[in-house]
């Protein structure tokens, strides 16, 4: 597994529109990706249909619904 991504960085794998494989950490804030397959498609976003990876971001990021919002 790769190092976890935090939602506050607003990268594609923490976006609700991202269609790749991910697991939410027990803290409810961090997301882990499969290091062998860390890309996923953008779904209904500005990059619709494009493969997006852990470093990609855009101005229309939506927090993944599984991530607990910070208090």
């Amino acid at each position: 597994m790769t190092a976890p991504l935090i939602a506050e960085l607003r990268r594609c794998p923490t976006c609700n529109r991202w269609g790749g494989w991910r697991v939410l950490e027990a803290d409810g804030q961090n997301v882990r990706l499969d290091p062998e397959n860390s890309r996923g498609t953008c779904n209904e976003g500005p990059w619709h249909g494009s493969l997006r990876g852990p470093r990609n971001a855009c101005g229309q990021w939506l927090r993944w619904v599984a991530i607990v919002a910070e208090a």
Side-chain angles (χ1 to χ4, degrees):
M1 293 269 192
T2 60
L5 293 166
I6 57 172
E8 298 317 307
L9 295 178
R10 296 181 174 227
R11 301 294 182 202
C12 288
T14 63
C15 179
N16 201 52
R17 295 179 169 135
W18 191 75
W21 185 91
R22 56 193 169 180
V23 173
L24 187 64
E25 293 284 306
D27 65 6
Q29 293 288 316
N30 293 294
V31 177
R32 283 204 184 263
L33 307 176
D34 178 350
E36 301 296 320
N37 188 19
S38 64
R39 296 174 62 83
T41 56
C42 176
N43 300 306
E44 305 301 324
W47 300 96
H48 182 69
S50 297
L51 280 177
R52 310 295 288 162
R55 294 185 179 167
N56 295 129
C58 81
Q60 295 183 28
W61 178 88
L62 296 173
R63 180 185 304 275
W64 181 27
V65 296
I67 296 172
V68 177
E70 288 191 61

